[in-house]
Amino acid sequence: MSRATRGKVVVLGDRETLPLFKSAGFMTIEAYSQSQALSIISRLQSSSDIALIIVLKHILDNEEEFKAKTADSSIPVFVLPTLRSPGEPIDVNKLLAKALGL
């Protein structure tokens, strides 16, 4: 049986945001910075019952650096944008062109 079919989902985030995920049945761990999140992910690598780690984007300082440091993780790590994370500009024309295959 693969890790994904039998494992837990762990959410890393701040105390104010985690209760929503906990009420949905996810395992939650408090983290308030990118370095804390990286340390927790490092410790979780030896766990065989975790299928996915979700990190709330607003606790990260540099998302690209974080993704680079977790790219070789044995457990998939997903950065979830939140309302508290800074917005990113969207180029609607570019998205439409991509959707249309242009």
Side-chain angles (χ1 to χ4, degrees), residues 8-62:
K8 301 178 205 170
V9 175
V10 178
V11 181
L12 306 182
D14 61 282
R15 182 178 306 195
E16 294 78 31
T17 311
L18 289 180
L20 172 67
F21 293 95
K22 192 169 190 135
S23 68
F26 295 105
M27 181 178 160
T28 60
I29 301 174
E30 285 185 32
Y32 290 91
S33 68
Q34 183 163 318
S35 61
Q36 272 187 319
L38 288 168
S39 175
I40 292 166
I41 290 168
S42 177
R43 286 188 309 227
L44 293 175
Q45 294 302 308
S46 62
S47 180
S48 63
D49 65 339
I50 297 175
L52 176 67
I53 299 171
I54 297 174
V55 180
L56 303 182
K57 183 176 178 177
H58 67 267
I59 69 167
L60 301 178
D61 302 321
N62 183 326

Side-chain angles (χ1 to χ4, degrees), residues 85-99:
S85 57
E88 297 176 10
I90 298 172
D91 184 347
V92 176
N93 291 330
K94 195 176 193 178
L95 290 175
L96 283 171
K98 184 177 179 181

